[in-house]
Amino acid sequence: MTRASMTRENLARSAVLSVADSLADCLADCLDILRGVDVVQRVLLIGGGAKSEALCSVFPDTLGIPVTVLETGEYVALSAARQEAWAAGEFPRWSRTASRELRPSGDAGVREFRRRYGLVRRATEAELA
């Protein structure tokens, strides 16, 4: 970071990329396993993340997979109700309305940020161990 590069835009972008990378770190191992057996084809983005244009713009490149942004809804409550129905032996279908489909753009800047984020995270973990 330099004085010249510490602009409002760059700081905002790094904050958004950090959120996306934190989520990607949580999902990375699971996504790699599911990709390995050709199960996962896309990720659904719901809630506050789906409302953030900044996060929507980087999430597909961060995960390296298409992202479907769903219209705002009560997905947590609906999921809880569906789990309860499954426990009772019923199998309701989950209807959802996608507001848009986002595909990875191949943005080299996002990939480089992701690589650096991983290096710093691993170095921090090693230091704390």
Side-chain angles (χ1 to χ4, degrees), residues 3-99:
R3 241 179 229 256
S5 69
M6 198 187 308
T7 64
R8 296 180 94 185
E9 294 81 8
N10 286 343
L11 290 173
R13 181 170 169 86
S14 69
V16 169
L17 287 169
S18 294
V19 169
D21 283 332
S22 282
L23 291 169
D25 271 353
C26 293
L27 298 171
D29 292 338
C30 294
L31 279 176
D32 287 344
I33 291 167
L34 293 172
R35 281 185 191 129
V37 292
D38 201 29
V39 171
V40 70
Q41 295 156 356
R42 66 184 168 144
V43 169
L44 300 179
L45 186 59
I46 63 173
K51 294 176 186 176
S52 167
E53 188 56 42
L55 189 57
C56 288
S57 71
V58 299
F59 213 48
D61 282 315
T62 301
L63 291 176
I65 193 167
V67 173
T68 298
V69 181
L70 299 184
E71 289 183 0
T72 302
E74 293 296 329
Y75 296 109
V76 174
L78 289 170
S79 292
R82 284 187 178 87
Q83 287 178 7
E84 194 65 33
W86 290 333
E90 298 176 30
F91 303 99
R93 289 193 51 89
W94 182 3
S95 62
R96 57 189 182 265
T97 305
S99 63

